[in-house]
Amino acid sequence: MIVAITGASGVNFAVKLLEALKNHNIETDLIISENAKDVIELETDFAIDRIQNLATRCHSENDLTAPPSSGSYKFESMIIIPCSMKTLSAIAHGFADTLITRAADVSLKEKRQLILAVRESPFNAIHLENMLKLAKLGVIIAPPIPSYYIKPKSIEELNENIVGRILDLVGIDSNIKRWGEF
Ligand SMILES: Cc1cc2nc3c(=O)[nH]c(=O)nc-3n(C[C@H](O)[C@H](O)[C@H](O)COP(=O)(O)O)c2cc1C
C-alpha cells in the first residue's frame, strides 16, 4: 500500500493509519511532501523520522525514479492522507511532477484503488469540480469527517474512528464502534 502525506492539516490521521497498517503487517511505501514536513513541524510534536519508521519503505517526493512511479510496481491501494487541495488539483489534471502525484496518476491508469482524505473548509468550486472529476473516475473521496453518533469520550477516540473508516475502505477491520452494534 502506498501512503502519502501532503501539506494539509491533520497529519495525526496519517500516523494512526500507518500504525494500524504496521500492526496488520501490511507493507507500506511512504511519501511525505516537502510542504507536509513544514506542516508537521507547525502542527505536531512528531519527528519526521518517527513517522517514517512506521513505514516499510520511504521515498522522497522528488525521487521520480522510485518504484511507486511505475505501473509495473505492484501495490493494491494508494491513500493520500491528509490530501491538500493543491495535490487534489494536480491529480485531477494529470500533473504528475512529484512522486505523490505520479503514483496517483499510476493508480488511475492502472485502475488501482485511490483514496483521497481531502481536507479543506469551506470548499470552493474548483475544489468541488476536481473532486467530482476524480470521483467519476472511481477515486474515493474520503474527507476525515467525525462520526458523532459514536458519542466519543475523547478527540483520540474520534480520530481513531475516522481512521477506522478509511481502513474499512481497504478491507482492514479495526475495532471501531459501528452503528447498530452499540
Ligand atoms: C499549517 C498549515 C495548514 C494547512 N492546511 C491546509 C489544509 O487543510 N488544506 C489544504 O488544502 N492546504 C492546507 N495548507 C496549504 C498547503 O500546505 C499548500 O497548499 C501546499 O502547497 C500543499 O502542498 P503539497 O500538496 O505538495 O503538500 C496548509 C498550510 C499550512 C502551513
Side-chain angles (χ1 to χ4, degrees), residues 5-10 32-40 42-43 61 80 82-88 98 100-101 118-121 127:
I5 303 175
T6 68
S9 213
I32 304 178
S33 78
E34 292 306 313
N35 290 317
K37 288 179 185 168
D38 290 340
V39 176
I40 290 167
L42 286 166
E43 283 190 350
E61 75 161 342
I80 307 185
C83 180
S84 74
M85 294 302 103
K86 176 210 147 187
T87 292
L88 167 78
T98 69
I100 294 176
T101 49
V118 292
R119 198 275 168 202
E120 187 51 280
S121 185
H127 305 150

Side-chain angles (χ1 to χ4, degrees), residues 1-153:
M1 209 165 283
I2 297 180
V3 176
I5 303 175
T6 68
S9 213
V11 68
N12 48 323
F13 298 120
V15 172
K16 276 204 181 308
L17 180 79
L18 286 163
E19 284 170 349
L21 293 174
K22 191 174 183 182
N23 288 340
H24 283 84
N25 294 318
I26 309 281
E27 276 189 48
T28 48
D29 285 85
L30 173 65
I31 314 160
I32 304 178
S33 78
E34 292 306 313
N35 290 317
K37 288 179 185 168
D38 290 340
V39 176
I40 290 167
E41 205 177 306
L42 286 166
E43 283 190 350
T44 75
D45 294 326
F46 295 121
I48 304 292
D49 49 351
R50 144 131 159 70
I51 301 173
Q52 288 175 327
N53 281 339
L54 295 170
T56 316
R57 289 169 289 274
C58 297
H59 312 282
S60 156
E61 75 161 342
N62 299 315
D63 184 6
L64 283 160
T65 69
S69 70
S70 169
S72 65
Y73 187 59
K74 288 284 184 196
F75 61 91
E76 282 182 25
S77 306
M78 175 171 186
I79 306 173
I80 307 185
I81 179 169
C83 180
S84 74
M85 294 302 103
K86 176 210 147 187
T87 292
L88 167 78
S89 168
I91 298 167
H93 292 84
F95 193 70
D97 69 332
T98 69
L99 188 59
I100 294 176
T101 49
R102 169 62 187 165
D105 205 54
V106 166
S107 305
L108 286 174
K109 82 183 176 78
E110 302 292 337
K111 308 265 185 269
R112 296 193 194 143
Q113 187 180 47
L114 177 59
I115 299 170
L116 306 184
V118 292
R119 198 275 168 202
E120 187 51 280
S121 185
F123 293 125
N124 66 33
I126 298 170
H127 305 150
L128 292 166
E129 276 178 8
N130 287 337
M131 282 188 259
L132 179 61
K133 189 173 173 185
L134 291 176
K136 284 180 174 170
L137 294 173
V139 174
I140 300 177
I141 306 294
I145 291 179
S147 304
Y148 290 106
Y149 58 76
I150 65 166
K151 294 186 179 159
K153 301 275 181 293

